[in-house]
Amino acid sequence: MTLTAKTLTAKPATQRLRITLRGAVQGVGFRPFVYRLATELSLTGWVLNSSAGLVVEVEGPSEQLSRFEKRLEQERPKASVVTVRESAWLTAKGSTRFEILASDHDSGKTVNVLPDLATCNDCREELFNPANRRFEYPFTNCTNCGPRYTIVVDIPYDRPNTTMRDFVLCPACREEYQNPSNRRFHAQPNACPICGPKLDGTIEDAAEALLQGEIVALKGIGGFQLLADARNRDAVARLRQRKHREEKPFALMMPSLEMARSYCEISPAEVQLLESQAAPIVLLRPKGGTDIAPNVAHCSPYLGVMLPYSPLHHLLMQECRFPLIATSGNRSDEPIAIANDEAVVRLKDIADHFLMHDRPIVRACDDSVVRLTRGRAGILRRARGFAPLGIHVGQNLPPVLAVGGHLKNTVAIGVGEDVFLSQHIGDLETVEARQAFERAIDDLCRLYSFKPEVVACDLHPDYASTQWAEKSGLPLIRVQHHQAHVAACAAENNARGAYLGVSWDGTGYGLDGAIWGGEFFHVEDNQFERIAHLRPFGLPGGDAAVREGWRSAASLVYAALGRDSVFLESTGNAVADARVIYMLERGINVVPTTSVGRLFDAVASLVGVARQNRFEGQAAMLLENEIGPLRIEEAYPLKSGDWGPLIVAVIADKRAGVAVPVIAARFHNALVNWILEVAAKAGLKQIVFSGGVFQNRYLTEHAAAALESRGFDVYTHQQVPPNDGGIALGQVVMSGRQ
Ligand code: ZN
Ligand code: ZN
Ligand code: FE
């Protein structure tokens, strides 16, 4: 007691405080901000960027130091993300001024690399101000905005470690770069028309080409984009045909929020997402009767919309003033092109016109996709604007590299308590995609000077990622697909203690060799007990049934009502039906599955909404879309996951002429009720949803609301996708507990 009193009274008037901040703290103007704040409060000391984070030492009267601490948190740069903050009191050193010290390169690389940031308001104003020296300069940026992840070669994030190293700053830019009170102080990609990157071609020509219905390849931030006039049906059709993309919706770039409002319903939360620094594609509800060509989104319930996020996009959209399709510059299933010479070769049969520049892109980064679910932003594709921000999981991780799944692949590494997830790489279907996957692994490890000691992969023996892991020569941890799904969701939500994991998707390799996808796990201390699952059924033709949902329909009808009903309910050809019945009767090439995704396919096929998936999850999406604004409570029976009575009821409704939206709603409600049934039995308060099926907003929101009204806590994905793009995160955290 006396000691405390004595310490307090003996506290010297001048103290020194060291604060270390980790997270996304470099390249966002943090040092000049600290400099201004310390100077304003008459504190002395220094600030420096180290590869372990941002370190500040401030010295002065203790009240001023508390003020400094408080304002450091409250007023820090908007783009910064602080994941860990440590402070320590030191003895005063009697320093006389405050300085910004040179970066220190020694400590371990645990600092986050920042994602690319959308053009800030200040830069945008300068861009359109004829009196400004950067008027209409397509590469302007400052510490609050501009490219980061796509130009950084190594960390720490300093100009010589970026693709801007070959552009020598002119005197005016250098002055800005060196002046702590300037918005461009240490803005690594700082540039102007005199010293910076230049366009190869003109914005006017590109805009004219678009207006003429041509397809333009534009070198953007994370790679080439293919652009077309979204109002021009022929142009859109040509793009689909050349890109080999049948019906998957295209995203749009709109010149302004005002124009986006004229095409879509946009809530205030969605405005925030559109205008955020990540500037992702936001899935919005389209208004009817607009001039957007019908083949842009086909029957999708959403229109993916983004706003211009680089000065080049701003200038082009200012010239066009109409909505453009902006899709990744690749042929389907290939990675996005990033280099000029590569793009000219790979995109020559797709694009009619190119607009390029001479600022190199280090790594491909697609546009991210976000949608509001349960009133919160949920990422569906995590790339530009988010990658490679770390996800703090609050558990110490081993040096593990996780190679993810097969579709929508991402890879991840565990560093300390953070998981660094790569940008979306794509489906590992082609040689090019598998090369991109290998590049992403090398890149992530090199950037963080990371040497994996273990590799985590999926159980599926045929995944290209699993095969890579097997050849890596490192100790292997095989993680079951659906366990990885829920572990990822629990980790990003920092859910502690036991939970019920609801893991529903299209396909994943089960512990028994069957195709799982309708699983419930009781999870406690990393022990996964599969406590419930969908009643298994046969998938005739295996992988073929993933594309052709009518096969699942035939199988379920065959099991529930017998072979004659298959012919009655089928809308397709009798020969194909007969072949499937033959397979089912003899068990030839029939793979057992518990997949809820395939159950969606079957119901969508039975009611005539979709007989096949032209892209992953299409039939389920169309079935959800059928519900529209309809709100009904009735549900089909799905007790204990037995789909038999459900299939009988669906067919009875269909024969009775019940409207498809009603059938769709009753089907979704059946799934909600089944979750409630299992949750009531499991006796766990925390419920975690994951897997591609939970991209279904109706299902997610209704199930979450029903559980919450019964006192459960529900966790859904926000920072990583519920689809297989989130698998790598789950693999990392599960390796950490083994
Ligand atoms: Zn800016
Ligand atoms: Zn310059
Ligand atoms: Fe999955």
Side-chain angles (χ1 to χ4, degrees):
M1 289 305 123
T2 43
L3 190 67
T4 316
K6 201 176 166 189
T7 318
L8 280 175
T9 46
K11 197 168 165 184
T14 299
Q15 289 191 306
R16 194 175 179 93
L17 177 66
R18 177 193 287 156
I19 302 173
T20 307
L21 299 175
R22 280 188 282 157
V25 291
Q26 293 185 352
V28 289
F30 222 121
R31 286 175 300 167
F33 157 70
V34 169
Y35 177 89
R36 283 192 298 270
L37 184 61
T39 318
E40 193 190 315
L41 295 171
S42 311
L43 298 170
T44 61
W46 49 257
V47 57
L48 72 79
N49 256 345
S50 87
S51 27
L54 186 98
V55 189
V56 192
E57 285 195 12
V58 272
E59 189 169 320
S62 53
E63 323 83 68
Q64 288 297 84
L65 291 179
S66 327
R67 264 181 221 125
F68 177 84
E69 266 195 290
K70 206 168 175 184
R71 289 184 57 187
L72 185 71
E73 175 50 35
Q74 287 168 348
E75 299 168 26
R76 66 184 165 82
K78 208 168 65 166
S80 63
V81 180
V82 176
T83 53
V84 178
R85 184 183 181 290
E86 290 157 5
S87 43
W89 292 96
L90 312 172
T91 353
K93 288 182 184 164
S95 48
T96 53
R97 59 195 180 105
F98 194 88
E99 10 174 24
I100 296 175
L101 300 183
S103 300
D104 133 39
H105 299 252
D106 304 335
S107 28
K109 296 187 178 184
T110 59
V111 80
N112 288 22
V113 176
L114 262 196
D116 305 294
L117 306 172
T119 309
C120 73
N121 290 338
D122 291 335
C123 285
R124 200 173 57 209
E125 269 162 34
E126 291 174 357
L127 184 66
F128 293 113
N129 174 4
N132 192 279
R133 72 187 187 96
R134 291 189 176 86
F135 177 58
E136 297 191 340
Y137 179 56
F139 304 98
T140 182
N141 64 82
C142 72
T143 46
N144 302 320
C145 72
R148 298 286 188 273
Y149 183 48
T150 54
I151 60 164
V152 61
V153 180
D154 199 2
I155 56 174
Y157 176 67
D158 273 332
R159 191 167 174 111
N161 284 338
T162 71
T163 61
M164 288 300 293
R165 60 187 160 200
D166 296 330
F167 296 91
V168 180
L169 288 164
C170 72
C173 286
R174 178 165 302 281
E175 203 286 317
E176 295 166 337
Y177 185 84
Q178 289 172 340
N179 177 358
S181 62
N182 192 285
R183 201 174 91 238
R184 294 188 167 88
F185 174 72
H186 280 225
Q188 307 308 345
N190 191 25
C192 79
I194 300 187
C195 66
K198 288 177 179 52
L199 274 187
D200 179 10
T202 70
I203 286 168
E204 293 74 18
D205 286 350
E208 181 57 27
L210 287 163
L211 196 59
Q212 297 306 321
E214 292 188 353
I215 294 163
V216 171
L218 175 84
K219 188 178 188 183
I221 293 290
F224 276 78
Q225 286 174 313
L226 292 164
L227 309 177
D229 181 350
R231 306 164 304 173
N232 185 330
R233 191 179 186 145
D234 293 341
V236 178
R238 224 173 309 123
L239 180 57
R240 285 204 175 276
Q241 184 223 332
R242 292 183 189 170
K243 207 176 135 81
H244 301 294
R245 178 149 151 161
E246 294 174 290
E247 289 182 9
K248 196 172 172 191
F250 282 129
L252 302 180
M253 185 174 276
M254 301 270 187
S256 64
L257 182 64
E258 291 63 46
M259 185 175 282
R261 278 189 204 282
S262 68
Y263 285 101
C264 302
E265 307 290 349
I266 311 179
S267 70
E270 287 164 336
V271 170
Q272 270 188 13
L273 290 176
L274 285 166
E275 293 187 328
S276 67
Q277 286 189 303
I281 295 166
V282 183
L283 298 186
L284 302 170
R285 292 274 179 200
K287 289 181 177 167
T290 66
D291 58 1
I292 298 287
N295 51 351
V296 167
H298 280 286
C299 303
S300 166
Y302 298 103
L303 212 47
V305 174
M306 61 187 145
L307 295 178
Y309 54 79
S310 77
L312 179 54
H313 286 110
H314 278 290
L315 293 168
L316 181 65
M317 294 314 294
Q318 157 102 347
E319 199 69 26
C320 286
R321 297 191 170 277
F322 51 83
L324 289 182
I325 283 182
T327 185
S328 34
N330 56 7
R331 217 176 286 275
S332 289
D333 295 333
E334 283 180 11
I336 179 169
I338 55 172
N340 294 2
D341 45 359
E342 172 203 5
V344 170
V345 174
R346 282 179 49 203
L347 304 179
K348 70 172 188 305
D349 299 328
I350 306 181
D352 305 300
H353 186 103
F354 285 80
L355 183 54
M356 307 196 278
H357 58 75
D358 58 356
R359 185 175 70 198
I361 298 172
V362 179
R363 58 188 64 77
C365 214
D366 281 274
D367 293 316
S368 295
V369 181
V370 172
R371 189 188 56 191
L372 220 58
T373 304
R374 300 175 74 207
R376 311 164 191 173
I379 296 180
L380 299 176
R381 180 166 76 194
R382 192 174 185 274
R384 180 189 51 76
F386 299 103
L389 278 181
I391 293 161
H392 192 75
V393 294
Q395 100 184 57
N396 223 333
L397 299 162
V400 57
L401 162 70
V403 295
H406 187 72
L407 298 176
K408 302 184 166 70
N409 180 273
T410 58
V411 298
I413 55 176
V415 181
E417 295 193 345
D418 293 311
V419 179
F420 294 97
L421 201 68
S422 75
Q423 67 278 27
H424 164 87
I425 297 164
D427 301 348
L428 305 183
E429 294 282 346
T430 60
V431 176
E432 291 82 359
R434 290 194 282 273
Q435 286 166 348
F437 159 81
E438 291 181 10
R439 272 201 306 277
I441 291 174
D442 285 348
D443 186 43
L444 202 60
C445 292
R446 199 179 39 79
L447 206 51
Y448 288 96
S449 299
F450 178 80
K451 288 243 178 319
E453 288 172 19
V454 216
V455 177
C457 65
D458 199 273
L459 268 185
H460 203 305
D462 300 335
Y463 281 6
S465 54
T466 305
Q467 289 168 355
W468 183 92
E470 284 167 348
K471 284 185 208 135
S472 70
L474 289 165
L476 221 56
I477 296 179
R478 295 179 199 264
V479 180
Q480 201 280 321
H481 189 93
H482 302 92
Q483 298 182 357
H485 267 309
V486 287
C489 184
E492 68 149 302
N493 284 292
N494 277 302
R496 297 274 172 261
Y499 64 86
L500 173 68
V502 187
S503 200
W504 290 1
D505 66 357
T507 50
Y509 200 80
L511 289 171
D512 56 3
I515 295 177
W516 287 7
E519 318 309 308
F520 289 89
F521 298 104
H522 178 126
V523 189
E524 197 160 3
D525 302 328
N526 208 35
Q527 297 297 312
F528 284 72
E529 192 195 343
R530 185 185 184 215
I531 57 168
H533 56 78
L534 194 70
R535 174 184 158 195
F537 63 97
L539 271 187
D543 278 348
V546 174
R547 287 184 302 277
E548 300 174 10
W550 65 268
R551 289 172 182 262
S552 297
S555 170
L556 291 169
V557 173
Y558 174 81
L561 294 158
R563 55 173 293 154
D564 293 346
S565 297
V566 176
F567 293 106
L568 281 174
E569 298 312 322
S570 172
T571 50
N573 76 53
V575 178
D577 287 335
R579 197 177 331 127
V580 164
I581 290 169
Y582 183 87
M583 290 162 81
L584 288 165
E585 278 172 344
R586 288 165 184 75
I588 302 164
N589 197 13
V590 176
V591 187
T593 186
T594 55
S595 163
V596 170
R598 301 286 80 87
L599 182 63
F600 263 97
D601 288 353
V603 174
S605 179
L606 281 176
V607 299
V609 166
R611 285 172 46 80
Q612 52 185 312
N613 284 309
R614 293 190 197 277
F615 57 90
E616 199 197 8
Q618 184 188 25
M621 188 185 82
L622 294 174
L623 193 63
E624 178 194 1
N625 189 31
E626 282 295 330
I627 305 174
L630 180 70
R631 289 295 168 260
I632 57 167
E633 298 285 318
E634 308 111 50
Y636 293 126
L638 187 59
K639 197 164 170 354
S640 308
D642 179 6
W643 39 260
L646 179 141
I647 293 297
V648 171
V650 167
I651 288 172
D653 271 359
K654 189 183 133 193
R655 287 182 184 162
V658 174
V660 173
V662 175
I663 297 180
R666 287 176 179 166
F667 170 66
H668 280 75
N669 294 346
L671 293 165
V672 171
N673 287 350
W674 182 33
I675 295 176
L676 291 175
E677 178 200 330
V678 178
K681 273 190 215 147
L684 294 163
K685 191 172 162 45
Q686 305 189 97
I687 319 282
V688 171
F689 292 171
S690 187
V693 167
F694 289 102
Q695 293 173 109
N696 185 311
R697 185 154 139 182
Y698 181 98
L699 176 67
T700 306
E701 291 184 341
H702 282 74
L707 287 165
E708 281 171 343
S709 73
R710 287 162 177 78
F712 293 98
D713 296 330
V714 180
Y715 299 99
T716 50
H717 282 287
Q718 297 171 71
Q719 303 180 64
V720 300
N723 59 47
D724 288 3
I727 287 282
L729 170 61
Q731 291 174 345
V732 169
V733 295
M734 284 185 67
S735 312
R737 295 181 193 137
Q738 281 178 11

